Amino acid sequence: MAWPLWLSSATFLMMLFTTDAITTALGPPPAVMYKNGIGLEQGGVLPGGVIYGRLLVSSNDPRVTNGVQGPVYRTVCDAHDFSNNEAETMCTLLGFGFGRKYYGSDATGRPGTTGRPVSHLICHNETSTHRRSLMGADDREGSSYSRQQGHSRTLTELSAYVNLPKSSGFVCTIDTVSTCPAIAPLAAVQCSNKPLPPEPSPPPSSPTAPPPKSSYLRMYGGNGYYDGTRLERNICNKTLNEDCRYWGRVEVQVAGAGGKPVWAPLCAPKSTLRMDIEQLVCLQMYDWDPVADRLRGVLSGYSSTPISIPSGKFVSKAGNFNPAQYTRWATVIGGNITTANKIQDLQLKVTAARCSTGAMLAVHCSMLVAD
Ligand SMILES: *[C@@H]1O[C@H](CO)[C@@H](O)[C@H](O)[C@H]1NC(C)=O
Ligand SMILES: *[C@@H]1O[C@H](CO)[C@@H](O)[C@H](O)[C@H]1NC(C)=O
Ligand SMILES: *[C@@H]1O[C@H](CO)[C@@H](O)[C@H](O)[C@H]1NC(C)=O
């Protein structure tokens, strides 16, 4: 009997010895493959030999392995933040030439999963020129768990490395803090060595799955060395006190022209509101539920000297913060912080004019963990 190469011998044995598997073997075969610290489970083969499956990423980080000798494989939350780009990278790591997201609930659903899914999978190509530049060489150590036992840890330190071989050319991190909303699907990919057929019309989005609160807010810098999310060079750079890298700026989704959603920088508010807002930003950013997540630690937000909105002819230079690219700016002017779940639940003043204070809110999130 010819088994596809990607069907591991472990699966083969499972299929021989578990009646459950024998019954399900009548349907699509359970595709299992592992390569470069990435895995696929709960999948199969689509027409044209396209392999699909629920994504697994491995890590040796004790916060992922729960202290067990690693690596341990975990599923990945897709709270509207797992993109086709990352799916393609995952397929590259699995040894395929092409790849994108897979939306079928047979792979994105939770049945048969164990452990908490990890969130915010971010990868960068280490050989590309767009490398993290502001952060020092000690960033990797900065994320090491052992140095941080028993203290308040910044969320930078709470992200963990995916266990990839150096030769893969990629560095990927996962966030071990965020809660994956129960309604969010898990990340799944489809991979092939031939170009994939055109994507069928927009995948149906489940009406029972409203986006998590984190999808209405984004943060640049302040919580990581991630290329894509660090502060722009004209806001935070080596000529300044490097402390600036610990403070992030925030954008909130608001209604723009014609009601179309746009991202608006969050302005520094009146000082009386600042503490409430910095806390809410962090709870929203990490989909934190203060009640359900209380056993995991205490997530706190802090703010600092607001970030001045840069001006001058260099704002349009690549890598710089350019105020002209924003049509809306948002300032919190009131609301009830006790009942608010997200910044948008507060009273927001949205203007086409830039922050009246000339500055944006600077936030840092951190978590106190009980050891
Ligand atoms: C990474 O980036 C470099 C330079 O941009 C490129 O030559 C290389 O093909 C990329 N590697 C992968 C695996 O995409
Ligand atoms: C560094 O940041 C400061 C403060 O925002 C800014 O004035 C300066 O132009 C920046 N330098 C570079 C090279 O972008
Ligand atoms: C905020 O909402 C809570 C709960 O509904 C209420 O008890 C409290 O009085 C409100 N606070 C303000 C300032 O309106």
Side-chain angles (χ1 to χ4, degrees), residues 92 125 127-129 168 170:
T92 306
N125 173 343
T127 48
S128 93
T129 50
S168 72
F170 285 99

Side-chain angles (χ1 to χ4, degrees), residues 85-296:
N85 274 345
E86 274 127 18
E88 199 177 354
T89 302
M90 292 299 110
C91 289
T92 306
L93 287 165
L94 287 165
F96 294 92
F98 302 89
R100 65 170 180 234
K101 273 179 82 159
Y102 176 76
Y103 292 94
S105 58
D106 53 338
T108 62
R110 307 268 175 116
T113 57
T114 50
R116 223 160 45 80
V118 295
S119 299
H120 299 137
L121 172 70
I122 300 177
C123 295
H124 22 249
N125 173 343
E126 270 288 272
T127 48
S128 93
T129 50
H130 304 289
R131 301 180 58 135
R132 48 196 139 96
S133 55
L134 183 68
M135 302 303 137
D138 63 349
D139 278 343
R140 273 191 191 219
E141 287 151 38
S143 79
S144 122
Y145 179 72
S146 53
R147 262 188 18 185
Q148 303 295 335
Q149 294 273 9
H151 295 291
S152 166
R153 299 180 190 132
T154 69
L155 291 172
T156 311
E157 291 152 351
L158 288 166
S159 66
Y161 282 96
V162 177
N163 173 42
L164 303 177
K166 229 179 151 105
S167 59
S168 72
F170 285 99
V171 170
C172 301
T173 55
I174 44 181
D175 157 8
T176 64
V177 179
S178 292
T179 309
C180 186
I183 46 169
L186 296 176
V189 298
Q190 47 186 312
C191 306
S192 174
N193 276 323
K194 288 180 287 192
L196 289 159
E199 191 139 35
S201 52
S205 63
S206 163
T208 56
K213 57 185 177 181
S214 60
S215 61
Y216 299 107
L217 176 143
R218 56 192 195 191
M219 207 164 151
Y220 291 81
N223 56 5
Y225 34 74
Y226 307 134
D227 281 356
T229 65
R230 64 172 177 70
L231 280 176
E232 292 83 354
R233 282 189 184 80
N234 56 341
I235 295 180
C236 181
N237 56 54
K238 281 190 175 134
T239 63
L240 296 166
N241 179 348
E242 284 213 20
D243 272 0
C244 61
R245 72 191 198 190
Y246 296 110
W247 303 102
R249 65 175 186 86
V250 176
E251 291 181 7
V252 290
Q253 202 179 78
V254 299
K260 201 173 146 262
V262 294
W263 290 104
L266 190 60
C267 302
K270 278 211 200 94
S271 59
T272 49
L273 291 167
R274 212 169 90 177
M275 274 163 67
D276 288 342
I277 295 167
E278 65 201 22
Q279 182 69 10
L280 191 56
V281 159
C282 293
L283 298 181
Q284 182 173 352
M285 170 80 189
Y286 290 94
D287 286 311
W288 194 266
D289 180 330
V291 177
D293 290 322
R294 72 184 185 283
L295 294 176
R296 298 172 51 212

